[in-house]
Short mmCIF file of all heavy atoms in Angstrom, two decimals:
data_model
loop_
_atom_site.label_atom_id
_atom_site.label_comp_id
_atom_site.label_asym_id
_atom_site.label_seq_id
_atom_site.Cartn_x
_atom_site.Cartn_y
_atom_site.Cartn_z
N MET H 1 -15.55 0.16 6.95
CA MET H 1 -14.20 0.13 6.36
C MET H 1 -14.20 -0.30 4.95
O MET H 1 -14.90 -0.93 4.35
CB MET H 1 -13.46 -0.99 7.24
CG MET H 1 -12.04 -1.05 7.03
SD MET H 1 -11.15 -2.10 8.21
CE MET H 1 -11.61 -3.72 7.74
N GLU H 2 -13.22 0.42 4.18
CA GLU H 2 -12.98 0.17 2.79
C GLU H 2 -11.86 -0.66 2.48
O GLU H 2 -10.88 -0.67 3.54
CB GLU H 2 -12.86 1.56 2.10
CG GLU H 2 -13.98 2.59 2.34
CD GLU H 2 -15.26 2.13 1.64
OE1 GLU H 2 -15.12 1.57 0.52
OE2 GLU H 2 -16.29 2.48 2.20
N LYS H 3 -11.72 -1.25 1.40
CA LYS H 3 -10.60 -2.02 1.08
C LYS H 3 -10.13 -1.83 -0.35
O LYS H 3 -11.12 -1.83 -1.25
CB LYS H 3 -11.04 -3.54 1.20
CG LYS H 3 -9.97 -4.45 1.56
CD LYS H 3 -10.54 -5.88 1.66
CE LYS H 3 -9.98 -6.44 3.01
NZ LYS H 3 -10.30 -7.90 3.12
N VAL H 4 -8.86 -1.69 -0.65
CA VAL H 4 -8.43 -1.49 -1.98
C VAL H 4 -7.21 -2.53 -2.21
O VAL H 4 -6.52 -2.79 -1.21
CB VAL H 4 -7.89 -0.08 -2.27
CG1 VAL H 4 -9.12 0.94 -2.47
CG2 VAL H 4 -6.98 0.45 -1.30
N THR H 5 -7.12 -2.90 -3.50
CA THR H 5 -5.91 -3.78 -3.82
C THR H 5 -5.22 -3.10 -4.97
O THR H 5 -5.81 -2.48 -5.91
CB THR H 5 -6.58 -5.12 -4.33
OG1 THR H 5 -7.25 -5.67 -3.39
CG2 THR H 5 -5.36 -6.10 -4.67
N TYR H 6 -3.96 -2.97 -4.72
CA TYR H 6 -3.05 -2.35 -5.75
C TYR H 6 -2.09 -3.31 -6.21
O TYR H 6 -1.43 -4.04 -5.43
CB TYR H 6 -2.38 -1.16 -5.31
CG TYR H 6 -3.29 0.03 -4.91
CD1 TYR H 6 -3.28 0.56 -3.70
CD2 TYR H 6 -4.17 0.52 -5.82
CE1 TYR H 6 -4.13 1.57 -3.39
CE2 TYR H 6 -5.09 1.44 -5.56
CZ TYR H 6 -5.09 2.13 -4.31
OH TYR H 6 -5.85 3.04 -4.03
N HIS H 7 -1.81 -3.35 -7.54
CA HIS H 7 -0.67 -4.19 -8.08
C HIS H 7 0.47 -3.17 -8.22
O HIS H 7 0.42 -2.13 -8.74
CB HIS H 7 -1.04 -4.56 -9.41
CG HIS H 7 0.15 -5.39 -10.09
ND1 HIS H 7 0.74 -4.94 -11.32
CD2 HIS H 7 0.82 -6.54 -9.71
CE1 HIS H 7 1.63 -5.87 -11.59
NE2 HIS H 7 1.75 -6.75 -10.71
N ILE H 8 1.69 -3.47 -7.51
CA ILE H 8 2.81 -2.74 -7.45
C ILE H 8 4.07 -3.35 -8.09
O ILE H 8 4.67 -4.23 -7.41
CB ILE H 8 3.07 -2.29 -5.98
CG1 ILE H 8 1.78 -1.60 -5.45
CG2 ILE H 8 4.30 -1.40 -5.81
CD1 ILE H 8 1.93 -1.20 -3.93
N PRO H 9 4.28 -3.12 -9.39
CA PRO H 9 5.33 -3.86 -10.06
C PRO H 9 6.74 -3.80 -9.41
O PRO H 9 7.52 -4.71 -9.65
CB PRO H 9 5.35 -3.13 -11.44
CG PRO H 9 4.01 -2.48 -11.55
CD PRO H 9 3.64 -2.12 -10.19
N SER H 10 7.05 -2.61 -8.73
CA SER H 10 8.35 -2.59 -8.13
C SER H 10 8.50 -3.39 -6.85
O SER H 10 9.66 -3.39 -6.29
CB SER H 10 8.68 -1.11 -7.95
OG SER H 10 7.66 -0.38 -7.22
N ILE H 11 7.49 -4.12 -6.49
CA ILE H 11 7.78 -5.07 -5.27
C ILE H 11 8.70 -6.20 -5.72
O ILE H 11 8.36 -6.90 -6.77
CB ILE H 11 6.46 -5.65 -4.76
CG1 ILE H 11 5.67 -4.54 -4.12
CG2 ILE H 11 6.62 -6.85 -3.88
CD1 ILE H 11 4.27 -5.06 -3.57
N SER H 12 9.91 -6.37 -5.13
CA SER H 12 10.74 -7.46 -5.46
C SER H 12 11.21 -8.40 -4.35
O SER H 12 11.81 -9.37 -4.66
CB SER H 12 11.91 -6.93 -6.16
OG SER H 12 12.67 -6.07 -5.23
N CYS H 13 10.93 -8.09 -3.11
CA CYS H 13 11.29 -8.97 -2.04
C CYS H 13 10.46 -8.47 -0.76
O CYS H 13 9.66 -7.66 -0.81
CB CYS H 13 12.74 -8.71 -1.69
SG CYS H 13 13.15 -7.13 -0.94
N HIS H 14 10.59 -9.29 0.32
CA HIS H 14 9.81 -9.08 1.45
C HIS H 14 10.13 -7.80 2.11
O HIS H 14 9.30 -7.11 2.79
CB HIS H 14 9.99 -10.23 2.48
CG HIS H 14 9.46 -11.58 2.13
ND1 HIS H 14 8.00 -11.65 2.14
CD2 HIS H 14 9.88 -12.60 1.59
CE1 HIS H 14 7.75 -12.92 1.68
NE2 HIS H 14 8.89 -13.48 1.35
N HIS H 15 11.31 -7.36 1.90
CA HIS H 15 11.69 -5.93 2.34
C HIS H 15 10.80 -4.91 1.84
O HIS H 15 10.41 -3.91 2.54
CB HIS H 15 13.11 -5.68 2.22
CG HIS H 15 13.61 -4.34 2.71
ND1 HIS H 15 13.80 -4.21 4.00
CD2 HIS H 15 13.72 -3.21 2.23
CE1 HIS H 15 14.16 -2.93 4.25
NE2 HIS H 15 14.19 -2.21 3.04
N CYS H 16 10.58 -4.96 0.54
CA CYS H 16 9.69 -3.96 -0.07
C CYS H 16 8.29 -4.02 0.62
O CYS H 16 7.77 -3.01 0.88
CB CYS H 16 9.39 -4.34 -1.63
SG CYS H 16 10.81 -4.38 -2.64
N ILE H 17 7.70 -5.14 0.75
CA ILE H 17 6.39 -5.18 1.40
C ILE H 17 6.43 -4.75 2.85
O ILE H 17 5.56 -3.98 3.29
CB ILE H 17 5.93 -6.71 1.41
CG1 ILE H 17 5.62 -7.09 0.01
CG2 ILE H 17 4.64 -6.92 2.30
CD1 ILE H 17 5.35 -8.59 -0.14
N HIS H 18 7.47 -4.95 3.58
CA HIS H 18 7.75 -4.38 4.87
C HIS H 18 7.69 -2.85 4.84
O HIS H 18 7.10 -2.11 5.75
CB HIS H 18 9.01 -4.96 5.58
CG HIS H 18 9.27 -4.41 6.88
ND1 HIS H 18 8.53 -4.83 8.07
CD2 HIS H 18 10.05 -3.41 7.41
CE1 HIS H 18 8.94 -4.07 9.09
NE2 HIS H 18 9.88 -3.25 8.76
N THR H 19 8.52 -2.26 3.95
CA THR H 19 8.57 -0.81 3.79
C THR H 19 7.21 -0.24 3.45
O THR H 19 6.76 0.64 4.11
CB THR H 19 9.51 -0.47 2.65
OG1 THR H 19 10.82 -1.04 2.86
CG2 THR H 19 9.64 1.09 2.45
N ILE H 20 6.47 -0.86 2.57
CA ILE H 20 5.15 -0.33 2.14
C ILE H 20 4.22 -0.47 3.36
O ILE H 20 3.50 0.58 3.71
CB ILE H 20 4.68 -1.19 1.00
CG1 ILE H 20 5.45 -0.95 -0.25
CG2 ILE H 20 3.18 -0.97 0.78
CD1 ILE H 20 5.14 -2.00 -1.42
N LYS H 21 4.29 -1.59 4.13
CA LYS H 21 3.49 -1.72 5.30
C LYS H 21 3.71 -0.63 6.33
O LYS H 21 2.80 0.07 6.75
CB LYS H 21 3.66 -3.08 5.84
CG LYS H 21 2.66 -3.56 6.85
CD LYS H 21 3.04 -5.03 7.13
CE LYS H 21 2.28 -5.54 8.44
NZ LYS H 21 0.87 -5.62 8.29
N THR H 22 4.91 -0.37 6.67
CA THR H 22 5.35 0.60 7.57
C THR H 22 4.91 1.96 7.28
O THR H 22 4.36 2.63 8.08
CB THR H 22 6.87 0.46 7.73
OG1 THR H 22 7.30 -0.83 8.09
CG2 THR H 22 7.29 1.47 8.92
N GLU H 23 5.14 2.31 6.02
CA GLU H 23 4.82 3.67 5.55
C GLU H 23 3.31 3.96 5.50
O GLU H 23 2.87 5.02 5.91
CB GLU H 23 5.48 4.01 4.12
CG GLU H 23 6.98 3.90 4.09
CD GLU H 23 7.65 5.11 4.87
OE1 GLU H 23 6.98 6.23 4.85
OE2 GLU H 23 8.77 5.01 5.25
N LEU H 24 2.56 3.06 4.98
CA LEU H 24 1.10 3.16 4.88
C LEU H 24 0.43 3.17 6.24
O LEU H 24 -0.48 3.91 6.51
CB LEU H 24 0.51 2.10 4.06
CG LEU H 24 0.78 2.15 2.53
CD1 LEU H 24 0.15 1.00 1.80
CD2 LEU H 24 0.23 3.37 1.90
N GLU H 25 1.01 2.42 7.19
CA GLU H 25 0.39 2.26 8.49
C GLU H 25 0.61 3.55 9.30
O GLU H 25 0.05 3.86 10.33
CB GLU H 25 0.91 1.09 9.32
CG GLU H 25 0.14 -0.18 8.75
CD GLU H 25 0.63 -1.43 9.37
OE1 GLU H 25 1.58 -1.46 10.15
OE2 GLU H 25 -0.04 -2.51 9.05
N GLU H 26 1.53 4.42 8.85
CA GLU H 26 1.64 5.74 9.52
C GLU H 26 0.56 6.68 9.15
O GLU H 26 0.36 7.64 9.78
CB GLU H 26 3.00 6.35 9.09
CG GLU H 26 4.20 5.79 9.86
CD GLU H 26 5.55 6.34 9.45
OE1 GLU H 26 5.66 7.43 8.77
OE2 GLU H 26 6.49 5.74 9.82
N GLN H 27 -0.12 6.46 8.07
CA GLN H 27 -1.25 7.30 7.73
C GLN H 27 -2.54 6.98 8.59
O GLN H 27 -2.96 5.90 8.74
CB GLN H 27 -1.72 7.03 6.20
CG GLN H 27 -2.90 7.60 5.73
CD GLN H 27 -2.98 9.03 5.78
OE1 GLN H 27 -2.06 9.75 5.31
NE2 GLN H 27 -4.06 9.69 6.31
N GLU H 28 -2.96 8.04 9.16
CA GLU H 28 -4.23 7.93 9.96
C GLU H 28 -5.32 7.34 9.20
O GLU H 28 -5.61 7.74 8.08
CB GLU H 28 -4.60 9.37 10.51
CG GLU H 28 -5.55 9.27 11.62
CD GLU H 28 -6.00 10.64 12.09
OE1 GLU H 28 -5.43 11.71 11.72
OE2 GLU H 28 -7.02 10.83 12.76
N GLY H 29 -6.01 6.36 9.75
CA GLY H 29 -7.14 5.75 9.17
C GLY H 29 -6.90 4.29 8.53
O GLY H 29 -7.65 3.57 8.37
N VAL H 30 -5.46 4.04 8.34
CA VAL H 30 -5.06 2.81 7.67
C VAL H 30 -5.25 1.78 8.76
O VAL H 30 -4.67 1.83 9.89
CB VAL H 30 -3.72 2.81 7.11
CG1 VAL H 30 -3.33 1.42 6.69
CG2 VAL H 30 -3.79 3.83 5.90
N VAL H 31 -6.06 0.79 8.59
CA VAL H 31 -6.30 -0.32 9.53
C VAL H 31 -5.29 -1.48 9.32
O VAL H 31 -4.68 -1.96 10.29
CB VAL H 31 -7.63 -0.81 9.38
CG1 VAL H 31 -7.99 -1.99 10.32
CG2 VAL H 31 -8.66 0.28 9.67
N SER H 32 -5.12 -2.02 8.15
CA SER H 32 -4.21 -3.06 7.80
C SER H 32 -3.65 -3.05 6.49
O SER H 32 -4.23 -2.44 5.49
CB SER H 32 -4.86 -4.33 8.18
OG SER H 32 -5.81 -4.69 7.10
N VAL H 33 -2.52 -3.58 6.30
CA VAL H 33 -1.81 -3.59 4.95
C VAL H 33 -1.24 -5.11 4.89
O VAL H 33 -0.42 -5.53 5.65
CB VAL H 33 -0.68 -2.60 4.96
CG1 VAL H 33 0.10 -2.74 3.42
CG2 VAL H 33 -1.19 -1.27 5.11
N GLU H 34 -1.74 -5.83 3.81
CA GLU H 34 -1.31 -7.15 3.62
C GLU H 34 -0.73 -7.22 2.21
O GLU H 34 -1.32 -6.81 1.23
CB GLU H 34 -2.40 -8.11 3.66
CG GLU H 34 -2.94 -8.34 5.08
CD GLU H 34 -4.43 -9.03 5.11
OE1 GLU H 34 -4.57 -9.93 4.39
OE2 GLU H 34 -5.22 -8.45 5.74
N GLY H 35 0.59 -7.56 2.13
CA GLY H 35 1.16 -7.77 0.94
C GLY H 35 1.52 -9.24 0.36
O GLY H 35 1.71 -10.08 1.19
N ASP H 36 1.40 -9.46 -0.82
CA ASP H 36 1.80 -10.74 -1.31
C ASP H 36 2.93 -10.59 -2.44
O ASP H 36 2.74 -9.89 -3.37
CB ASP H 36 0.54 -11.43 -2.05
CG ASP H 36 0.83 -12.81 -2.50
OD1 ASP H 36 1.16 -13.62 -1.81
OD2 ASP H 36 0.94 -12.94 -3.80
N LEU H 37 4.04 -11.28 -2.11
CA LEU H 37 5.20 -11.03 -3.01
C LEU H 37 5.09 -11.68 -4.35
O LEU H 37 5.30 -11.06 -5.30
CB LEU H 37 6.44 -11.74 -2.26
CG LEU H 37 7.76 -11.69 -2.93
CD1 LEU H 37 8.14 -10.25 -3.12
CD2 LEU H 37 8.83 -12.27 -2.07
N ASP H 38 4.37 -12.83 -4.46
CA ASP H 38 4.31 -13.54 -5.77
C ASP H 38 3.52 -12.73 -6.69
O ASP H 38 3.79 -12.55 -7.93
CB ASP H 38 3.79 -14.88 -5.66
CG ASP H 38 4.66 -15.88 -4.88
OD1 ASP H 38 5.88 -15.63 -5.04
OD2 ASP H 38 4.25 -16.79 -4.23
N SER H 39 2.27 -12.24 -6.24
CA SER H 39 1.42 -11.50 -7.12
C SER H 39 1.77 -9.96 -7.08
O SER H 39 1.20 -9.31 -7.94
CB SER H 39 -0.03 -11.67 -6.74
OG SER H 39 -0.20 -11.06 -5.42
N LYS H 40 2.66 -9.53 -6.26
CA LYS H 40 3.03 -8.11 -6.18
C LYS H 40 1.83 -7.28 -5.90
O LYS H 40 1.68 -6.15 -6.39
CB LYS H 40 3.81 -7.61 -7.38
CG LYS H 40 5.00 -8.41 -7.72
CD LYS H 40 5.86 -7.79 -8.73
CE LYS H 40 6.98 -8.79 -9.07
NZ LYS H 40 8.20 -8.03 -9.54
N ARG H 41 0.86 -7.79 -5.13
CA ARG H 41 -0.41 -7.02 -4.67
C ARG H 41 -0.31 -6.74 -3.29
O ARG H 41 0.21 -7.56 -2.41
CB ARG H 41 -1.55 -7.91 -5.03
CG ARG H 41 -1.82 -7.85 -6.51
CD ARG H 41 -3.08 -8.83 -6.85
NE ARG H 41 -2.92 -9.12 -8.21
CZ ARG H 41 -3.22 -8.33 -9.31
NH1 ARG H 41 -3.65 -7.23 -9.07
NH2 ARG H 41 -3.05 -8.83 -10.49
N VAL H 42 -0.94 -5.56 -3.02
CA VAL H 42 -0.98 -5.16 -1.53
C VAL H 42 -2.61 -4.80 -1.36
O VAL H 42 -3.22 -4.18 -2.22
CB VAL H 42 -0.17 -3.86 -1.42
CG1 VAL H 42 -0.50 -3.27 -0.06
CG2 VAL H 42 1.28 -4.08 -1.45
N VAL H 43 -3.02 -5.36 -0.25
CA VAL H 43 -4.51 -5.05 0.14
C VAL H 43 -4.54 -4.14 1.32
O VAL H 43 -3.90 -4.53 2.38
CB VAL H 43 -5.16 -6.39 0.39
CG1 VAL H 43 -6.58 -6.09 0.86
CG2 VAL H 43 -5.09 -7.35 -0.82
N ILE H 44 -5.14 -3.02 1.25
CA ILE H 44 -5.16 -2.01 2.21
C ILE H 44 -6.55 -1.84 2.72
O ILE H 44 -7.55 -1.58 1.86
CB ILE H 44 -4.64 -0.59 1.73
CG1 ILE H 44 -3.21 -0.87 1.06
CG2 ILE H 44 -4.56 0.28 2.88
CD1 ILE H 44 -2.85 0.24 -0.02
N SER H 45 -6.77 -1.98 4.01
CA SER H 45 -8.08 -1.66 4.67
C SER H 45 -7.95 -0.32 5.37
O SER H 45 -6.99 -0.16 6.11
CB SER H 45 -8.47 -2.81 5.62
OG SER H 45 -8.43 -4.13 4.95
N TYR H 46 -8.90 0.52 5.15
CA TYR H 46 -8.84 1.77 5.79
C TYR H 46 -10.20 2.38 6.08
O TYR H 46 -11.15 2.02 5.57
CB TYR H 46 -8.06 2.72 4.83
CG TYR H 46 -8.81 2.91 3.47
CD1 TYR H 46 -9.65 4.08 3.35
CD2 TYR H 46 -8.69 2.03 2.46
CE1 TYR H 46 -10.33 4.32 2.12
CE2 TYR H 46 -9.50 2.22 1.26
CZ TYR H 46 -10.25 3.35 1.16
OH TYR H 46 -10.89 3.58 0.01
N ASN H 47 -10.15 3.44 6.85
CA ASN H 47 -11.27 4.18 7.15
C ASN H 47 -10.92 5.66 7.00
O ASN H 47 -9.68 5.98 6.87
CB ASN H 47 -11.71 4.14 8.77
CG ASN H 47 -12.28 2.74 9.11
OD1 ASN H 47 -13.17 2.30 8.40
ND2 ASN H 47 -11.73 2.08 10.09
N PRO H 48 -11.84 6.63 6.95
CA PRO H 48 -11.39 8.02 6.83
C PRO H 48 -10.63 8.40 8.03
O PRO H 48 -10.76 7.69 9.09
CB PRO H 48 -12.87 8.75 6.99
CG PRO H 48 -13.81 7.82 6.52
CD PRO H 48 -13.31 6.42 6.93
N PRO H 49 -9.74 9.35 7.99
CA PRO H 49 -9.46 10.26 6.84
C PRO H 49 -8.57 9.66 5.56
O PRO H 49 -8.38 10.47 4.72
CB PRO H 49 -8.76 11.47 7.56
CG PRO H 49 -7.87 10.77 8.54
CD PRO H 49 -8.77 9.73 9.04
N ALA H 50 -8.25 8.40 5.74
CA ALA H 50 -7.53 7.82 4.61
C ALA H 50 -8.45 7.76 3.39
O ALA H 50 -9.68 7.43 3.58
CB ALA H 50 -6.98 6.46 4.97
N THR H 51 -7.90 7.99 2.23
CA THR H 51 -8.64 7.83 1.01
C THR H 51 -7.68 7.12 -0.12
O THR H 51 -6.46 7.18 0.16
CB THR H 51 -8.91 9.28 0.35
OG1 THR H 51 -7.68 9.97 -0.02
CG2 THR H 51 -9.75 10.09 1.36
N PRO H 52 -8.22 6.58 -1.07
CA PRO H 52 -7.43 6.07 -2.14
C PRO H 52 -6.32 6.97 -2.77
O PRO H 52 -5.21 6.66 -2.88
CB PRO H 52 -8.36 5.55 -3.21
CG PRO H 52 -9.63 5.30 -2.47
CD PRO H 52 -9.62 6.32 -1.41
N GLU H 53 -6.74 8.25 -2.89
CA GLU H 53 -5.83 9.29 -3.33
C GLU H 53 -4.62 9.34 -2.53
O GLU H 53 -3.50 9.48 -2.99
CB GLU H 53 -6.60 10.60 -3.53
CG GLU H 53 -7.61 10.59 -4.68
CD GLU H 53 -8.93 9.82 -4.38
OE1 GLU H 53 -9.21 9.47 -3.17
OE2 GLU H 53 -9.63 9.52 -5.26
N LEU H 54 -4.85 9.49 -1.12
CA LEU H 54 -3.77 9.62 -0.16
C LEU H 54 -2.80 8.42 -0.16
O LEU H 54 -1.69 8.52 -0.21
CB LEU H 54 -4.40 9.85 1.22
CG LEU H 54 -4.67 11.17 1.80
CD1 LEU H 54 -5.39 11.08 3.03
CD2 LEU H 54 -3.40 12.05 1.80
N LEU H 55 -3.52 7.29 -0.16
CA LEU H 55 -2.69 6.00 -0.28
C LEU H 55 -1.77 5.96 -1.49
O LEU H 55 -0.53 5.60 -1.43
CB LEU H 55 -3.63 4.84 -0.25
CG LEU H 55 -4.56 4.74 0.97
CD1 LEU H 55 -5.52 3.52 0.87
CD2 LEU H 55 -3.75 4.59 2.28
N ILE H 56 -2.37 6.41 -2.65
CA ILE H 56 -1.56 6.33 -3.94
C ILE H 56 -0.45 7.40 -3.83
O ILE H 56 0.70 7.02 -4.25
CB ILE H 56 -2.51 6.56 -5.13
CG1 ILE H 56 -3.40 5.36 -5.28
CG2 ILE H 56 -1.73 6.88 -6.44
CD1 ILE H 56 -4.62 5.71 -6.19
N ASP H 57 -0.75 8.52 -3.23
CA ASP H 57 0.38 9.51 -3.12
C ASP H 57 1.47 9.02 -2.28
O ASP H 57 2.58 9.21 -2.57
CB ASP H 57 -0.31 10.75 -2.41
CG ASP H 57 -0.93 11.69 -3.45
OD1 ASP H 57 -0.96 11.32 -4.67
OD2 ASP H 57 -1.65 12.70 -2.97
N ILE H 58 1.16 8.32 -1.17
CA ILE H 58 2.16 7.75 -0.29
C ILE H 58 3.04 6.78 -1.09
O ILE H 58 4.33 6.75 -1.03
CB ILE H 58 1.61 7.11 0.94
CG1 ILE H 58 0.90 8.23 1.91
CG2 ILE H 58 2.62 6.38 1.81
CD1 ILE H 58 -0.02 7.66 2.98
N LEU H 59 2.43 5.82 -1.73
CA LEU H 59 3.12 4.80 -2.52
C LEU H 59 3.95 5.50 -3.65
O LEU H 59 5.05 4.99 -3.83
CB LEU H 59 2.06 3.87 -3.21
CG LEU H 59 1.33 3.04 -2.21
CD1 LEU H 59 0.08 2.23 -2.78
CD2 LEU H 59 2.34 1.88 -1.59
N LYS H 60 3.51 6.52 -4.27
CA LYS H 60 4.42 7.16 -5.32
C LYS H 60 5.63 7.77 -4.55
O LYS H 60 6.64 7.74 -5.07
CB LYS H 60 3.55 8.30 -5.97
CG LYS H 60 2.69 7.61 -6.93
CD LYS H 60 1.76 8.77 -7.64
CE LYS H 60 0.87 8.30 -8.78
NZ LYS H 60 -0.04 9.29 -9.10
N GLU H 61 5.31 8.51 -3.45
CA GLU H 61 6.44 9.13 -2.71
C GLU H 61 7.61 8.21 -2.31
O GLU H 61 8.74 8.58 -2.25
CB GLU H 61 5.86 9.78 -1.39
CG GLU H 61 5.49 11.19 -1.60
CD GLU H 61 4.67 11.68 -0.33
OE1 GLU H 61 5.15 11.24 0.83
OE2 GLU H 61 3.81 12.41 -0.41
N ILE H 62 7.24 6.97 -1.94
CA ILE H 62 8.22 6.04 -1.46
C ILE H 62 8.70 5.03 -2.52
O ILE H 62 9.34 4.11 -2.40
CB ILE H 62 7.66 5.11 -0.34
CG1 ILE H 62 6.51 4.22 -0.66
CG2 ILE H 62 7.40 6.11 0.84
CD1 ILE H 62 6.05 3.24 0.36
N ASN H 63 8.42 5.48 -3.87
CA ASN H 63 8.81 4.73 -5.04
C ASN H 63 8.29 3.38 -5.24
O ASN H 63 8.86 2.45 -5.81
CB ASN H 63 10.33 4.76 -5.12
CG ASN H 63 10.93 6.22 -5.30
OD1 ASN H 63 10.56 6.87 -6.18
ND2 ASN H 63 11.93 6.45 -4.52
N TYR H 64 7.03 3.19 -4.75
CA TYR H 64 6.26 2.04 -5.09
C TYR H 64 4.92 2.41 -5.76
O TYR H 64 3.87 2.12 -5.11
CB TYR H 64 6.02 1.21 -3.89
CG TYR H 64 7.33 0.53 -3.32
CD1 TYR H 64 7.85 0.94 -2.19
CD2 TYR H 64 7.88 -0.62 -3.99
CE1 TYR H 64 9.16 0.45 -1.72
CE2 TYR H 64 9.10 -1.05 -3.53
CZ TYR H 64 9.60 -0.64 -2.31
OH TYR H 64 10.87 -1.21 -1.83
N PRO H 65 4.97 2.99 -6.89
CA PRO H 65 3.75 3.48 -7.51
C PRO H 65 2.92 2.34 -7.97
O PRO H 65 3.33 1.36 -8.58
CB PRO H 65 4.23 4.25 -8.71
CG PRO H 65 5.53 3.83 -9.10
CD PRO H 65 6.25 3.47 -7.72
N PRO H 66 1.58 2.32 -7.66
CA PRO H 66 0.74 1.20 -8.14
C PRO H 66 0.44 1.25 -9.64
O PRO H 66 0.43 2.48 -10.20
CB PRO H 66 -0.56 1.38 -7.31
CG PRO H 66 -0.59 2.76 -6.77
CD PRO H 66 0.89 3.18 -6.91
N ASP H 67 0.21 0.17 -10.25
CA ASP H 67 -0.27 0.06 -11.59
C ASP H 67 -1.71 0.51 -11.55
O ASP H 67 -2.64 -0.23 -10.85
CB ASP H 67 -0.32 -1.36 -11.97
CG ASP H 67 0.56 -1.65 -13.15
OD1 ASP H 67 1.20 -0.79 -13.73
OD2 ASP H 67 0.74 -2.81 -13.51
N LEU H 68 -2.15 1.47 -12.10
CA LEU H 68 -3.60 1.96 -12.05
C LEU H 68 -4.30 1.88 -13.42
O LEU H 68 -3.67 1.92 -14.46
CB LEU H 68 -3.80 3.36 -11.54
CG LEU H 68 -3.23 3.46 -10.04
CD1 LEU H 68 -3.22 5.04 -9.74
CD2 LEU H 68 -4.16 2.72 -9.20
CU1 CU B 101 12.49 -5.47 -1.87
#
């Protein structure tokens, strides 16, 4: 299992984290999504076929682009 952490500046409340979690968990291979409101960071654990590129694409699509 792989793990990535992204800083997402547009996170502003718990609803944002909930949305991100729901959308990412629809991607096959995503195991867990943990968000922290104070640091605006999201930790994603995943297996193939999920890839960082796919995760970033999803985040951009839902208007939560990560700081890269
Ligand atoms: Cu919000």
Side-chain angles (χ1 to χ4, degrees):
M1 190 166 72
E2 305 289 326
K3 208 178 231 193
V4 286
T5 302
Y6 294 126
H7 177 240
I8 301 176
S10 51
I11 289 177
S12 61
C13 69
H14 287 289
H15 182 76
C16 297
I17 291 173
H18 178 76
T19 302
I20 290 168
K21 197 174 161 68
T22 305
E23 296 289 335
L24 288 178
E25 284 177 352
E26 283 177 14
Q27 168 62 45
E28 196 185 343
V30 171
V31 177
S32 71
V33 179
E34 288 162 46
D36 180 68
L37 182 56
D38 291 335
S39 64
K40 304 188 182 208
R41 279 176 210 282
V42 171
V43 180
I44 307 158
S45 301
Y46 65 95
N47 289 311
T51 63
E53 291 72 22
L54 272 173
L55 301 174
I56 291 165
D57 280 350
I58 294 167
L59 289 168
K60 286 178 178 169
E61 269 171 33
I62 63 172
N63 292 314
Y64 291 105
D67 241 0
L68 297 172

